[in-house]
């Protein structure tokens, strides 16, 4: 065990505006670090190889698959996970819109879908249908909620532009 | 406060959502127990091989490894059970050992496990286990597996046949074919699908040496059944010493109904190590050893008259069951498929023969629809081929052969329970009208003149759900190894807050919402005062779980039985409180009033307080409002509808574009239209995906080609059109709600609608049938071949 412990390295992570100091193996993914070391289990593991989008986080304004990011290379990035979206004044408009449009069923791909839409709307407040499709095309949903996810994205854009 | 009788029938937002949308749901892999160790499983890389020896010494010495187990260590664990054998025939049963010790029979068969301090170490150590395999010949195709000289999987199943099962009247059917004016034959392949729930499967075992009790968390659709099977058949532990818990479950689609080796292995490892042990499969494992679905090869024949009447249907199906029998595998291609092949049509003579076949592939069991999609695909393709042969519009042929509305209950001639109710033509007409079918036919004619390939496909389906009356489905009937009733407990606490516990076990369907809607209306309380609990065998009454679109029709009925009992007791107590005679107390607007004096009333929360304190109860009445019911349905339910799909096929690339998709479904009365629409959407996506993209592929020597999300063609957001949904409502009299079930309808209907549309588009080229999936490459090849042969003909 001792040899393994010494192979760990210290990392400082900025997650949802909070600073975390953790010791991780260099091979530890950001996904494992979030889930196992920081207890932020809202980020989901589905494929672990960048095929599905369930582990999507926003890093410095861009969506990324946390299963393809190492914890050690995430130092210095401002990372948002699903846990960081709702504020004191309640749910994020995208979260509200997902509920309103029934855009989730089993909930397992949902954090990734929501973050992809959040990231899209941060870059583009009035996306076209095609841009919405593209934004979530890297997020698989086996419950087949896609049509409702598109609707939720449009509804969220409306909520955000009316604020 | 919202008043009563307003929830049922309205699109109430899901109470599940706030948790899921913030990432605060608790799924299996989110659970961390003190001292928890992690298990990884070594799977066979060979489709068929003898195990000559296993050397685990290096793995055992790897730092961080707590234990390595092989089949020798787990010899005291029984093979997994098969709980649904094909009814009325002999089944040559072979089920898997939790770890194979002498022979492996598919890529994915479990051979050894490592338990370590963390999952990384467990996986590292797997690579240090040395297994000496002697490869053997393998077979993956269910038809080839039955032929002379094919590799044999099990001694007790000659020619790899697990069972031969028939239904219907063979003599009458043969006669119908002898006398037929038209006979159409087609070989149909209903390809293997891989369910691919987003959450992979897993289990956590925790053994308490002080009490001898096991707690097993599992990603299960049926935790009570798992408790029963693990206790009575696998682990030989008293049933009251196992507690199974399904936390939030991230989709199942059938694949999480079954009893899997890892459930027993985590329990075993926890007892050995004295620590909780977690196993979560990775995506590759999910593809390799979690059950697959469908995989039929069928020879179908339809007989009829020149004027479009169907007079006979003859079916011979090779159903691939995989290397061993999964928990309910034999029941799927028999009771749920064979007994549904006549579909919505009144066919005078039908005969079905099903061979259940072992092959060197992952076990095949229920996947969304389970048997009914295969049946609907078969009959809907055959009806289209028949329509083409007699030169009639497929809509007209359907119309001519529908079971008419005045002939229900309808006996379909192959041993299914009588269809409860149906207005098949009404749904067809609505779908044709909504989709603009006649206009599309004119547009299609014009397009064909320009050389464009437009097509429209219909699918008029019926399915069986709300399974099932125990006396029919059980051991003396269809072979199911227990009952199939459902349970519910409803309690109203002192403060008027209600808790419903159900034996069903949702995994994305929104039961906590739908069930709360039912109960809030029945008790006259706000929905937020009703909480639905499920999935923990401690604290919920035994129930058979969630599958077969049964949770509302059967589980919801059990809930309504319990609320009726509560209302009956509350009425007695209300009469006592109001000093009125029981006969004068009536339920009105969500409360009890005395007939003639509406000002004196008692609500359920007021009565619950009186019942819980017990200060003044009628003579002989027990305190508390707390009622449990076990509901065994008198019949199954039979939802139906018609889907219309319009496509354009690109002649140059073979690519199919979905132009429009219109679905008219009749699922009886609807409790929450929003949730039902979501179920239909999801079902249609999976049905379309089978027609167009998905296929579980093995090489001839049994290597799984589609072992990742890169290789298995799960539909993406950009691949689907908007669906236009509509409903007709034909209530059922099978249950008090008049509800039929909606979880699988979309999947059942969509596949043939899409394939029929593509075949219609390709009709001008003389292409009659292509097997799924209708990927561009396959369609392009077919177009090229036809074009070449048409040139030669000229």
């Amino acid at each position: 065990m001792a040899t393994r412990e010494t192979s760990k390295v210290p990392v400082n992570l900025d997650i949802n505006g909070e600073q975390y100091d953790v010791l991780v193996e260099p091979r530890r993914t950001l996904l494992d670090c979030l889930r196992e070391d920081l207890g932020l289990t809202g980020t989901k593991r589905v494929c672990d190889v960048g095929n599905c989008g369930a582990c999507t986080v926003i890093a410095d304004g861009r969506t990324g698959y946390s299963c393809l990011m190492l914890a050690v290379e995430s130092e210095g990035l401002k990372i948002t996970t699903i846990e960081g979206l709702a504020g004191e004044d309640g749910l994020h408009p995208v979260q509200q819109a997902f509920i309103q449009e029934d855009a989730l069923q089993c909930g397992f791909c949902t954090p990734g879908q929501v973050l992809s839409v959040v990231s899209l709307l941060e870059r583009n407040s009035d996306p076209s249908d095609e841009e919405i499709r593209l934004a979530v095309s890297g997020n698989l949903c086996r419950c087949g909620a896609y049509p409702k996810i598109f609707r939720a994205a449009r509804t969220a854009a409306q909520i955000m532009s009316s604020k | 406060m919202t008043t009563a009788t307003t929830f049922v029938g309205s699109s109430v937002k899901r109470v599940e959502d706030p948790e899921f949308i913030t990432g605060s749901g608790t799924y299996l892999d989110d659970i961390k127990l003190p001292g928890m160790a992690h298990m990884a499983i070594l799977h066979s890389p060979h489709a068929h091989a003898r195990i000559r020896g296993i050397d685990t010494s290096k793995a055992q010495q790897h730092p961080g490894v707590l234990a390595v187990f092989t089949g020798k260590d787990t010899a005291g664990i029984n093979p997994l059970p098969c709980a649904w054998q094909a009814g009325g025939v002999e089944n040559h049963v072979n089920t898997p050992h939790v770890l194979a010790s002498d022979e492996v029979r598919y890529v994915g068969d479990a051979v050894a496990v490592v338990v370590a301090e963390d999952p990384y170490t467990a996986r590292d150590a797997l690579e240090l286990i040395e297994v000496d395999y002697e490869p053997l010949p393998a077979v993956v195709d269910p038809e080839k597996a039955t032929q002379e000289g094919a590799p044999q999987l099990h001694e007790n199943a000659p020619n790899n046949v697990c069972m031969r099962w028939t239904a219907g009247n063979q003599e009458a059917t043969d006669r119908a074919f002898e006398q037929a004016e038209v006979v159409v034959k087609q070989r149909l392949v209903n390809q293997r699908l891989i369910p691919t729930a987003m959450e992979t499967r897993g289990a956590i075992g925790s053994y308490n040496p002080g009490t001898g009790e096991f707690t097993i968390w599992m990603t299960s659709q049926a935790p009570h059944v798992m408790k029963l099977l693990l206790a009575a058949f696998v682990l030989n532990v008293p049933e009251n010493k196992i507690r199974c818990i399904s936390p939030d479950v991230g989709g199942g689609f059938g694949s999480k109904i079954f009893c899997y080796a890892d459930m027993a292995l985590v329990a075993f490892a926890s007892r050995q190590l004295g620590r909780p042990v977690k196993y979560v499969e990775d995506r590759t494992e999910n593809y390799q050893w979690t059950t697959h679905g469908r995989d039929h090869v069928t020879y179908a024949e339809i007989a009829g008259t020149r004027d479009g009447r169907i007079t006979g249907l003859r079916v011979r199906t090779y159903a691939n069951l995989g290397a061993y029998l999964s928990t309910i595998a034999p029941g799927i291609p028999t009771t749920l498929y064979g007994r549904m092949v006549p579909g919505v049509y009144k066919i005078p003579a039908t005969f079905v023969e099903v061979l259940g076949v072992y092959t060197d592939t992952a076990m095949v069991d229920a996947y969304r629809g389970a048997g009914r999609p295969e049946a609907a695909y078969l009959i809907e393709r055959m009806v289209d081929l028949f329509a083409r042969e007699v030169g009639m519009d497929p809509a007209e042929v359907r119309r001519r052969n529908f079971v008419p509305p005045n002939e229900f209950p309808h006996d379909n001639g192959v041993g299914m329970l009588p269809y409860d109710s149906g207005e098949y033509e009404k749904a067809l007409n609505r779908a044709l009208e909504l989709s603009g079918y006649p206009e599309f036919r004119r547009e299609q004619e014009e397009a064909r003149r320009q050389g464009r390939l437009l097509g429209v496909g219909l699918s008029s389906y019926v399915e069986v759900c709300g399974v099932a009356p125990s006396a029919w489905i059980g051991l003396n009937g269809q072979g199911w190894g227990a009952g199939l009733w459902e349970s519910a407990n409803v309690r109203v606490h002192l403060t008027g807050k209600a808790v419903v516990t159900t034996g069903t076990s949702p995994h994305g369907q929104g039961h906590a919402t739908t069930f709360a809607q039912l109960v809030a209306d029945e008790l006259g309380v706000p929905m937020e005062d009703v909480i639905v609990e499920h999935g923990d065998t401690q604290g919920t009454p035994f129930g058979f779980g969630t599958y077969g679109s049964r949770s509302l029709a059967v589980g919801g009925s059990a809930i309504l039985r319990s609320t009726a009992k509560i209302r009956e007791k509350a009425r007695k107590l209300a009469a006592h409180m109001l000093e009125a005679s029981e006969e004068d107390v009536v339920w009105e607007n969500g409360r009890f009033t005395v007939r003639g004096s509406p000002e004196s009333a008692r609500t359920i929360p007021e009565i619950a307080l009186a019942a819980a304190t017990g200060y003044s109860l009628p003579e002989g009445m027990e305190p508390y409002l707390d009622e449990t019911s076990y509901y065994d349905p008198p019949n199954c339910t039979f939802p139906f509808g018609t889907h219309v799909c319009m496509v354009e096929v690109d002649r140059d690339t073979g690519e199919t574009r979905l132009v429009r998709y219109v679905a008219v479904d009749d699922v009886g009365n609807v409790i929450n239209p929003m949730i039902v629409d979501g179920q239909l959407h999801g079902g249609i996506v999976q049905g379309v995906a089978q027609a167009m993209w998905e296929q579980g592929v093995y090489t001839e020597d049994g290597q799984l080609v589609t072992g990742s999300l890169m290789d298995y063609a799960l539909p993406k957001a950009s691949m689907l059109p908007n669906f236009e949904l509509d409903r007709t409502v034909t209530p059922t009299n099978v249950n008090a709600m008049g509800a039929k079930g909606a979880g699988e309808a979309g999947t059942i209907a969509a596949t043939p609608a899409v394939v029929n549309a593509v075949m219609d588009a390709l009709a001008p080229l003389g292409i009659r049938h292509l097997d799924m999936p209708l990927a561009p490459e396959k369609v392009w090849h077919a177009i090229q071949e036809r074009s070449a042969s048409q040139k030669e003909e000229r």
Side-chain angles (χ1 to χ4, degrees):
Chain A
M1 288 296 290
T3 52
R4 285 163 9 91
E5 288 298 332
T6 52
S7 70
K8 289 185 175 179
V9 294
V11 184
N12 173 268
L13 295 173
D14 179 338
I15 318 272
N16 303 325
E18 290 197 33
Q19 303 296 313
Y20 294 89
D21 289 307
V22 280
L23 266 180
V24 295
E25 279 187 72
R27 64 171 172 171
R28 200 159 186 79
T29 62
L30 175 60
L31 172 63
D32 275 330
C33 181
L34 289 170
R35 292 183 51 81
E36 307 299 329
D37 302 329
L38 306 181
L40 296 169
T41 56
T43 308
K44 296 301 178 205
R45 182 201 323 275
V46 165
C47 72
D48 226 10
V49 290
N51 294 337
C52 74
C55 66
T56 298
V57 296
I58 301 177
D60 277 358
R62 297 199 157 272
T63 52
Y65 292 161
S66 62
C67 73
L68 295 186
M69 299 163 74
L70 294 174
V72 290
E73 62 174 354
S74 303
E75 195 164 72
L77 299 175
K78 280 194 168 314
I79 291 164
T80 305
T81 71
I82 191 69
E83 289 92 347
L85 284 187
E88 278 177 7
D89 46 348
L91 295 178
H92 187 283
V94 174
Q95 291 173 311
Q96 292 169 26
F98 265 66
I99 294 177
Q100 195 175 319
E101 300 295 348
D102 190 38
L104 65 157
Q105 290 181 23
C106 82
F108 212 73
C109 74
T110 307
Q113 304 276 3
V114 167
L115 286 162
S116 287
V117 175
V118 168
S119 173
L120 166 71
L121 296 179
E122 279 172 1
R123 285 176 278 125
N124 178 354
S125 61
D126 185 24
S128 66
D129 288 358
E130 199 45 41
E131 286 166 329
I132 293 171
R133 268 171 201 271
L134 266 178
V136 295
S137 64
N139 294 84
L140 295 176
C141 168
R142 187 49 155 171
C143 298
Y146 295 131
K148 292 183 168 196
I149 292 169
F150 302 152
R151 249 182 268 161
R154 285 193 287 272
T155 301
Q158 283 163 14
I159 299 174
M160 287 167 80
S161 65
S162 68
K163 275 191 175 171
Chain B
M1 172 178 147
T2 329
T3 53
T5 66
T6 56
F7 300 114
V8 169
S10 68
S11 290
V12 177
K13 300 300 170 220
R14 300 197 330 164
V15 300
E16 292 88 344
D17 289 355
E19 195 182 26
F20 293 159
I21 204 78
T22 51
S24 49
T26 305
Y27 299 86
L28 184 105
D29 198 20
D30 302 335
I31 295 170
K32 245 185 193 178
L33 301 176
M36 190 167 74
H38 297 267
M39 185 173 92
I41 298 181
L42 184 68
H43 302 273
S44 164
H46 296 282
H48 196 186
R50 202 161 287 125
I51 298 173
R52 284 192 288 227
I54 306 179
D55 182 355
T56 62
S57 53
K58 283 182 198 153
Q60 306 231 5
Q61 287 154 19
H62 189 66
V65 168
L66 301 166
V68 182
F69 300 117
T70 66
K72 276 185 196 148
D73 305 299
T74 58
I77 303 176
N78 291 328
L80 301 179
C82 174
W84 192 6
Q85 296 183 26
V89 297
E90 194 185 345
N91 293 240
H92 304 301
V93 175
N94 295 281
T95 60
H97 288 267
V98 294
L99 294 175
S101 51
D102 51 358
E103 197 169 325
V104 289
R105 295 182 178 86
Y106 73 102
V107 170
D109 226 345
V111 173
V113 300
V114 173
V115 186
E117 293 290 349
D118 68 82
Y120 282 46
T121 305
R123 274 165 195 277
D124 288 346
L126 284 186
E127 291 174 19
L128 302 173
I129 299 175
E130 286 164 15
V131 185
D132 182 9
Y133 291 106
E134 177 193 339
L136 298 169
V139 62
V140 300
D141 179 281
E143 191 180 7
K144 286 182 188 158
T146 63
Q147 288 161 2
E148 241 7 89
Q152 299 292 298
L153 272 82
H154 303 285
E155 263 175 34
N156 69 353
N159 299 321
N160 298 311
V161 174
C162 165
M163 46 81 182
R164 178 182 176 274
W165 177 97
T166 62
N169 187 331
Q170 185 166 20
E171 232 172 87
T173 307
D174 288 345
R175 220 168 27 246
F177 275 84
E178 279 158 26
Q179 294 163 358
E181 293 173 15
V182 183
V183 172
V184 181
K185 300 181 181 186
Q186 185 59 52
R187 179 180 191 266
L188 298 165
V189 177
N190 202 298
Q191 81 272 33
R192 176 177 288 247
L193 300 179
I194 309 185
T196 320
M198 284 291 100
E199 180 199 32
T200 59
R201 285 189 322 93
I204 303 170
S206 178
Y207 177 70
N208 181 333
T211 61
E213 289 172 8
F214 291 90
T215 304
I216 309 173
W217 287 260
M218 49 177 61
T219 52
S220 177
Q221 301 175 222
H224 286 280
V225 177
M226 293 310 106
K227 179 194 67 166
L228 169 63
L229 297 180
L230 289 167
F233 298 100
V234 185
L235 294 171
N236 292 323
V237 170
E239 194 181 344
N240 53 9
K241 299 226 166 186
I242 295 188
R243 173 185 181 187
C244 291
I245 303 173
S246 288
D248 291 326
V249 175
F253 314 106
S255 68
K256 291 176 181 169
I257 301 171
F258 317 119
C259 190
Y260 287 94
D262 45 274
M263 297 171 178
L265 288 167
V266 293
F268 168 81
S270 176
R271 182 162 59 184
Q272 296 296 309
L273 296 171
R275 292 170 61 169
V277 174
K278 181 198 262 188
Y279 165 74
V280 178
E281 62 178 12
D282 68 19
R283 184 52 57 186
T284 303
E285 291 179 284
N286 179 265
Y287 275 113
Q288 284 185 343
W289 86 319
T290 285
T291 55
H292 296 177
R294 318 277 192 264
D295 208 345
H296 288 189
V297 175
T298 293
Y299 291 86
E301 299 168 86
I302 194 165
T305 60
R306 281 274 154 216
D307 65 353
R309 291 207 178 274
I310 303 168
T311 55
L313 178 66
R314 201 157 49 192
V315 177
R316 178 180 165 88
T317 294
Y318 297 87
N320 197 341
L321 301 172
Y324 312 93
L325 297 182
S326 168
T327 313
I328 62 171
I332 308 304
T334 53
T335 298
L336 291 181
Y337 162 76
R339 300 204 189 285
M340 285 307 290
V341 296
V344 289
Y345 308 107
K346 194 174 164 179
I347 303 178
T350 303
F351 181 69
V352 188
E353 179 185 11
V354 177
L355 292 167
V357 183
Y358 291 113
T359 63
D360 293 298
T361 61
M363 293 184 280
V364 178
D365 207 322
Y367 164 59
R368 199 171 192 170
R372 292 96 86 207
E374 297 92 311
Y377 180 71
L378 164 88
I379 186 65
E380 288 305 283
R381 277 301 294 136
M382 292 311 289
V383 165
D384 257 37
L385 288 167
F386 174 61
R388 195 187 286 198
E389 182 67 29
V390 298
M392 285 175 65
D393 189 288
E396 187 48 38
V397 171
R398 284 178 169 77
R399 207 185 295 281
R400 204 159 281 193
N401 290 284
F402 280 152
V403 177
N406 60 0
E407 292 191 15
F408 288 86
H410 167 70
D411 174 355
N412 75 357
V414 284
M416 180 43 72
L417 285 169
Y419 295 4
D420 53 354
S421 60
E423 291 243 24
Y424 301 148
E425 192 170 4
K426 190 168 151 191
L428 171 73
N429 288 344
R430 182 83 189 119
L432 296 180
E433 182 194 326
L434 268 178
S435 62
Y437 182 80
E439 296 81 6
F440 186 87
R441 282 289 184 207
R442 284 194 290 277
E443 194 188 323
Q444 180 185 40
E445 228 171 90
E446 177 56 33
R448 280 178 177 171
R449 275 196 290 273
Q450 300 163 5
R452 285 167 58 209
L453 302 173
L454 259 59
V456 55
L458 303 177
S459 161
S460 294
Y461 73 97
V462 60
E463 62 145 326
V464 52
C465 57
V467 288
S470 301
W472 174 74
I473 197 92
L475 277 177
N476 297 328
Q478 303 303 309
W480 175 272
L484 209 40
W485 38 263
E486 202 43 78
S487 67
N489 172 271
V490 179
R491 266 166 292 158
V492 189
H493 291 312
L494 182 147
T495 52
K497 309 295 180 193
V499 176
V500 181
T501 56
T502 167
T504 67
S505 202
H507 37 285
Q509 296 90 340
H511 292 171
T513 307
T514 304
F515 291 169
Q517 285 177 263
L518 287 175
V519 172
D521 277 5
E522 290 302 312
L523 300 184
V525 298
M527 242 187 90
E528 56 266 30
D529 284 358
V530 182
I531 280 180
V532 178
E533 291 176 350
H534 52 77
D536 185 344
T537 61
Q538 183 170 303
T540 64
F542 189 100
F544 286 92
T546 289
Y547 40 85
S549 303
R550 68 188 298 274
S551 293
L552 178 63
V554 191
S557 295
I559 291 172
L560 288 183
R561 285 276 172 101
S562 289
T563 54
K565 288 179 189 170
I566 285 198
R567 280 255 297 271
E568 190 45 35
K569 181 172 178 178
R571 197 171 66 88
K572 290 193 171 83
L573 185 46
H576 177 75
M577 292 163 80
L578 294 163
E579 296 177 353
S581 79
E582 259 181 63
E583 301 77 61
D584 289 338
V585 173
V586 290
W587 178 257
E588 257 177 22
N589 299 321
R591 55 198 196 139
F592 288 106
T593 58
V594 180
R595 213 187 299 273
S597 53
E599 67 284 355
S600 38
R602 288 291 182 274
T603 63
I604 291 284
E606 288 166 346
I607 298 164
L609 172 63
T613 54
Y615 298 156
S616 173
L617 299 176
E619 176 128 10
M621 180 180 281
E622 292 177 9
Y624 233 82
L625 298 181
D626 182 338
E627 299 289 348
T628 301
S629 301
Y630 294 84
Y631 173 80
D632 204 335
N635 191 1
C636 295
T637 56
F638 296 83
F640 62 90
T642 291
H643 289 204
V644 182
C645 178
M646 291 159 172
V647 302
E648 176 158 12
V649 176
D650 187 319
R651 205 182 259 273
D652 299 325
T653 63
E655 195 164 9
T656 297
R657 185 169 65 90
L658 294 166
V659 178
R660 262 188 96 182
Y661 195 100
V662 174
V664 175
D665 295 283
D666 194 321
V667 297
N669 287 332
V670 168
I671 311 302
N672 186 320
M674 178 192 82
I675 287 179
V676 168
D677 283 354
Q679 287 296 309
L680 288 164
H681 271 282
I684 294 168
V685 171
Q686 289 181 6
V688 170
Q690 172 169 24
M692 304 263 289
W693 307 296
E694 287 184 28
Q695 181 170 24
V697 179
Y698 283 95
T699 60
E700 272 192 27
D701 58 356
Q703 289 297 323
L704 181 64
V705 176
T706 50
S708 79
L709 283 164
M710 283 295 275
D711 306 301
Y712 187 78
L714 214 67
K716 292 181 185 279
S718 54
M719 293 156 78
L720 294 149
N722 271 323
F723 308 129
E724 299 162 59
L725 303 187
D726 195 29
R727 270 194 274 285
T728 59
V729 179
T730 310
T732 175
N733 58 12
V734 171
N735 59 62
M737 294 164 288
K740 290 192 170 191
E744 296 159 298
T747 313
I748 292 163
T751 309
V754 176
V755 175
N756 284 343
V758 177
M759 291 310 128
D760 185 50
L762 299 177
L765 302 173
I767 295 169
R768 200 169 154 272
H769 177 77
L770 297 174
D771 283 321
M772 303 179 287
L774 300 174
E777 189 197 359
K778 187 185 285 175
V779 174
W780 182 82
H781 274 296
I783 293 172
Q784 294 304 307
E785 274 167 32
R786 289 306 303 177
S787 306
S789 66
Q790 279 176 351
K791 270 179 208 156
E792 271 170 35
E793 282 160 25
R794 281 186 214 125

